[in-house]
Amino acid sequence: MMNVEHHFPFQKKFNRLVIGFTTLLSVIFIASLMLGIIPIGLDELFHYFSSSDTSIHFTISLRFQREIIALCCGGMLALGSAIIQGLTRNPMVAPDLTGMTSVGCLFVVVCEMIWIKSPVLNLFLGVAGAFLGFLLCFSLTSRIRNRLTVILTGISISFTANAIMQLFILHAKEDIANYLHFITGSLYAVNGISVWIVFVITLMIVPLVFMLGRRFSVVSLDDQTCYSLGVPLQKYWITYFFLASLLVGTSIIGVGHLGFLGIISPNMARMLIGNRPQYIFPLSFLIGGFTYLLADTIGRCIISPAEIPAGIITNMMSAPVFLYILFRYYRGQHEWN
Amino acid sequence: MLLFAIGNLKYGVTHFNGYDLLSAFFHTDLSLVSHITLIEVRLPMVLMAIIAGASLAISGLLLQRVTQNPLACPSLSGVEYGTACCVILCYMFIPHVSKLGIMCISLMGGLFTYLLTQAIVKKIGATTTGITLIGIAFDALYFSLIQAILLAFPYQAQSILYDLNGSLQGITFNDIGLVALPFVVLFIVVLLLGKRLDLLNLDELQASALGVSIKPYRLIMLAVSIILATLVTSLIGPLLFFSLVVPHLVRSLTSSRYIILFCAIYGAALLLMAQLLTYLVSPLTPPPVGLVMLLIAAPMLTIIIRRHLPYDER
């Protein structure tokens, strides 16, 4: 008889964590449906389908769209970041710190400015931008062994891309507000089609990544071990890297450029459960989605009717966490084996 | 530098030819519109650009020499955004404060931020890249704080919003008067002390073996660097990466003997060039000069990283 406890000692802890985070997530989801400029009671929420009040219908559906996209995009960004961290075996790498998100945003904004606006094309451009940004960063630092130098290069790339984007936005003829969320990561201008795209892709890709998570564990070993085990490392790299770009690129069309969220979620998951990809992937998805949803709710409610973009709130929340992670990194306490 | 200065005076919403410039300076006549534009609007801007460029460049150079860190610069240790944050807080919560008061408070803010980051660096035991990352984290924190404040109080915010990216618009002679005296004093101090700049390459032990006391010198240089940076930032807003890049440019061009002077001149010239660029790109709505600077400087950061930190594993 096989003892599950013995073979998977962390399964139980993982289950508890997942249940805890899911509960938290659903609580904040419902709370955020209720809060806002028009407060909605719990009973109205439950009688959504039977009630005939159109204004409440409208409000709830708007908020619902917004929260779905916050959840999906925050989660996908964190998941993509977890994949990249595993691939590069570098706990300090994140989509926003390697120029992925900002190059993607740049592509999307430039295309919308000078050509056409279509959410599907935006998706492709976002993915391509994420791909190219990562390639650029890593080709510039291919000979550099230091893990933090990679991020510095990435940061300078993302500052460049941001500056170009801001120049473009300043010269926009009309509706600057539509593009501002690419800088600050706000959910203000979410529209129906992009919600659908993001949602469908989340449903397609995220379970796939979760399923592949167990195989991913082998990539976090070093190269030589992988080769001697007969793992086709090249194939793994290409597959996972493509998946990561897809995740990050999709999150771009929803939320734009988000700072620091990508780096803290996988690291927090790692602090909770150690470096085990099959557990880290779902956990970082949950943590990312939860953080972003919380930030969006706070930003929406704290000074309503005006709103603070969620990206700013996540920045404020996660910059200290980033310092803490850096602290652990220098103490050699990062759980990387 | 002179060339760029004249270019800056000439180009703008309305272009002036050389004759206009000469006549405005030698036979000033404040009833002519062109003369008013030149003297009251353009000239303070150019002077401010010179002062800001020079002092930020010197500040970066000193900081890099004192900390022996090729990536040190006021904007990458959170000082500039800390200052900007203080300025905005002042505007918000002390409505009738004078510019001088704001400058003093923001000076405190800049110094405080620097000490805070240094304390964190000490605590963590970070190396070059780590220090820079901590600075960037502080920058992001302050930046989001500023944005949140601006969004929370939108009515007061309109006038300050433009300052955020580092812009030279709307500088008057009053501002110049405020910043000029400390700038000149500090500049002379730095020039006088600058001959001993190479001493900073030594560590404590070597210095005491040579019989020089290096600690007060180091402290003075550090203080001067931070003060210069905060003074300028409190007036024109943060110019990211500017003070990082200029010393590296100058180092590849000149020997170390006159490096402070050269840094000042090149810094001023670079800032004037960027300002000129903003007007050439779009005369009516010039983008903030900080943005153009960022566009020039951020790619150079990549080059600097590649050159100076090849194998710096901790």
Side-chain angles (χ1 to χ4, degrees):
Chain A
M1 173 149 163
M2 196 173 110
N3 187 355
V4 179
E5 273 290 304
H6 181 73
H7 284 284
F8 301 103
F10 285 89
Q11 188 71 43
K12 214 167 178 183
K13 192 179 178 189
F14 170 70
N15 287 346
R16 274 199 302 257
L17 281 172
V18 166
I19 292 171
F21 270 109
T22 319
T23 326
L24 268 179
L25 204 61
S26 35
V27 168
I28 190 90
F29 195 85
I30 292 171
S32 149
L33 273 181
M34 284 156 53
L35 295 170
I37 307 171
I38 308 170
I40 290 172
L42 208 54
D43 49 335
E44 283 168 302
L45 207 61
F46 280 123
H47 298 123
Y48 172 68
F49 290 107
S50 57
S51 83
S52 54
D53 191 344
T54 47
S55 75
I56 284 182
H57 255 262
F58 187 64
T59 318
I60 290 182
S61 70
L62 265 188
R63 280 188 199 156
F64 190 73
Q65 278 184 0
R66 210 180 145 139
E67 277 160 33
I68 285 288
I69 212 166
L71 194 62
C72 294
C73 289
M76 276 198 290
L77 194 67
L79 189 55
S81 155
I83 294 178
I84 304 173
Q85 291 187 356
L87 278 182
T88 55
R89 299 179 188 127
N90 180 352
M92 302 303 288
V93 158
D96 52 303
L97 298 179
T98 48
M100 284 177 95
T101 50
S102 40
V103 176
C105 284
L106 175 70
F107 276 26
V108 173
V109 167
V110 169
C111 171
E112 284 206 352
M113 293 263 169
I114 61 179
W115 197 27
I116 46 170
K117 298 179 182 182
S118 85
V120 183
L121 189 65
N122 280 354
L123 176 68
F124 281 112
L125 283 172
V127 174
F131 203 81
L132 279 180
F134 189 83
L135 280 187
L136 187 64
C137 178
F138 273 78
S139 56
L140 280 175
T141 55
S142 56
R143 283 180 298 124
I144 295 175
R145 293 266 153 264
N146 189 342
R147 289 165 163 175
L148 296 180
T149 311
V150 178
I151 316 181
L152 269 185
T153 311
I155 286 174
S156 65
I157 291 172
S158 83
F159 266 114
T160 319
N162 262 340
I164 300 173
M165 191 165 70
Q166 283 191 24
L167 276 184
F168 264 99
I169 289 178
L170 277 179
H171 282 264
K173 303 265 182 314
E174 83 303 356
D175 57 355
I176 291 179
N178 271 354
Y179 301 110
L180 277 184
H181 77 276
F182 284 111
I183 302 179
T184 49
S186 155
L187 285 173
Y188 183 66
V190 167
N191 58 4
I193 310 166
S194 47
V195 173
W196 274 111
I197 291 177
V198 169
F199 190 59
V200 167
I201 286 188
T202 313
L203 280 190
M204 273 168 22
I205 304 294
V206 171
L208 181 68
V209 175
F210 288 169
M211 280 191 287
L212 289 174
R214 185 155 299 178
R215 296 192 174 197
F216 193 81
S217 321
V218 78
V219 183
S220 49
L221 300 172
D222 61 350
D223 281 354
Q224 277 188 339
T225 321
C226 282
Y227 282 127
S228 56
L229 285 174
V231 178
L233 205 56
Q234 203 106 33
K235 218 164 81 185
Y236 269 53
W237 245 91
I238 293 170
T239 320
Y240 283 109
F241 182 43
F242 179 71
L243 283 177
S245 318
L246 199 60
L247 288 169
V248 175
T250 318
S251 81
I252 285 170
I253 66 166
V255 298
H257 177 71
L258 268 186
F260 291 125
L261 185 66
I263 193 165
I264 65 160
S265 329
N267 275 306
M268 278 167 83
R270 208 167 281 130
M271 275 179 214
L272 290 173
I273 206 158
N275 188 24
R276 295 173 180 78
Q278 75 266 36
Y279 301 140
I280 283 181
F281 285 173
L283 271 185
S284 57
F285 183 82
L286 285 176
I287 294 177
F290 171 71
T291 317
Y292 194 62
L293 191 57
L294 185 69
D296 187 45
T297 314
I298 294 174
R300 213 153 44 85
C301 301
I302 201 165
I303 52 160
S304 70
E307 70 175 57
I308 301 175
I312 287 173
I313 308 266
T314 47
N315 252 358
M316 278 200 239
M317 290 198 296
S318 44
V321 184
F322 175 71
L323 286 181
Y324 178 63
I325 289 168
L326 207 60
F327 176 67
R328 286 175 72 90
Y329 178 79
Y330 270 103
R331 282 288 165 87
Q333 281 176 336
H334 55 287
E335 286 82 359
W336 193 257
N337 278 315
Chain B
M1 189 179 99
L2 269 180
L3 210 68
F4 282 128
I6 292 169
N8 245 315
L9 286 173
K10 268 179 87 165
Y11 296 106
V13 181
T14 49
H15 291 231
F16 297 109
N17 55 27
Y19 177 71
D20 277 339
L21 283 184
L22 284 180
S23 75
F25 282 115
F26 293 116
H27 317 281
T28 313
D29 178 8
L30 283 181
S31 58
L32 279 172
V33 178
S34 64
H35 288 194
I36 293 176
T37 342
L38 269 175
I39 301 290
E40 298 276 313
V41 181
R42 299 267 174 90
L43 191 60
M45 213 170 70
V46 170
L47 282 179
M48 191 65 214
I50 292 172
I51 291 176
S55 52
L56 280 180
I58 292 174
S59 147
L61 176 74
L62 291 184
L63 208 57
Q64 282 173 19
R65 282 302 176 86
V66 170
T67 56
Q68 290 291 306
N69 172 359
L71 289 180
C73 97
S75 62
L76 284 184
S77 38
V79 170
E80 294 198 355
Y81 268 115
T83 313
C85 193
C86 274
V87 171
I88 282 168
L89 282 175
C90 281
Y91 271 120
M92 287 294 151
F93 297 114
I94 321 168
H96 301 295
V97 70
S98 67
K99 282 233 165 163
L100 196 63
I102 285 179
M103 270 162 71
C104 291
I105 294 172
S106 56
L107 197 63
M108 310 276 250
L111 279 175
F112 171 72
T113 314
Y114 187 74
L115 292 179
L116 193 62
T117 43
Q118 287 311 303
I120 290 179
V121 166
K122 277 258 171 58
K123 176 98 177 127
I124 292 182
T127 50
T128 316
T129 33
I131 294 170
T132 318
L133 280 178
I134 292 168
I136 286 173
F138 262 88
D139 274 352
L141 194 63
Y142 278 124
F143 181 72
S144 45
L145 207 64
I146 292 170
Q147 292 268 323
I149 293 171
L150 289 184
L151 286 165
F153 303 97
Y155 298 111
Q156 296 105 309
Q158 290 300 329
S159 56
I160 348 171
L161 194 61
Y162 213 65
D163 280 359
L164 266 181
N165 263 318
S167 112
L168 295 167
Q169 299 281 314
I171 295 287
T172 58
F173 269 116
N174 283 337
D175 302 338
I176 303 276
L178 281 179
V179 81
L181 186 65
F183 169 70
V184 170
V185 171
L186 289 177
F187 189 61
I188 291 170
V189 167
V190 170
L191 276 187
L192 286 180
L193 291 175
K195 270 182 256 165
R196 298 167 65 193
L197 205 60
D198 283 338
L199 275 184
L200 291 174
N201 291 341
L202 308 173
D203 61 9
E204 293 284 328
L205 208 64
Q206 287 169 322
S208 64
L210 283 177
V212 260
S213 148
I214 203 172
K215 208 159 185 183
Y217 183 59
R218 197 169 261 172
L219 275 180
I220 291 174
M221 282 313 201
L222 202 61
V224 166
S225 155
I226 305 282
I227 291 171
L228 277 177
T230 44
L231 275 183
V232 171
T233 312
S234 66
L235 283 180
I236 67 168
L239 284 176
L240 277 179
F241 296 143
F242 179 77
S243 38
L244 170 73
V245 165
V246 175
H248 284 280
L249 275 180
V250 173
R251 191 174 300 160
S252 58
L253 289 173
T254 57
S255 64
S256 73
R257 204 177 147 74
Y258 300 109
I259 196 161
I260 293 181
L261 203 58
F262 273 103
C263 251
I265 294 172
Y266 273 84
L270 197 62
L271 197 57
L272 282 172
M273 187 186 78
Q275 177 73 6
L276 187 60
L277 264 181
T278 65
Y279 276 105
L280 290 183
V281 169
S282 69
L284 285 179
T285 54
V289 70
L291 214 53
V292 179
M293 250 358 279
L294 195 59
L295 212 55
I296 302 171
M300 293 189 62
L301 177 62
T302 320
I303 299 170
I304 293 169
I305 291 169
R306 272 177 79 84
R307 183 179 295 170
H308 286 276
L309 306 167
Y311 296 102
D312 180 34
E313 188 69 23
R314 86 201 149 82

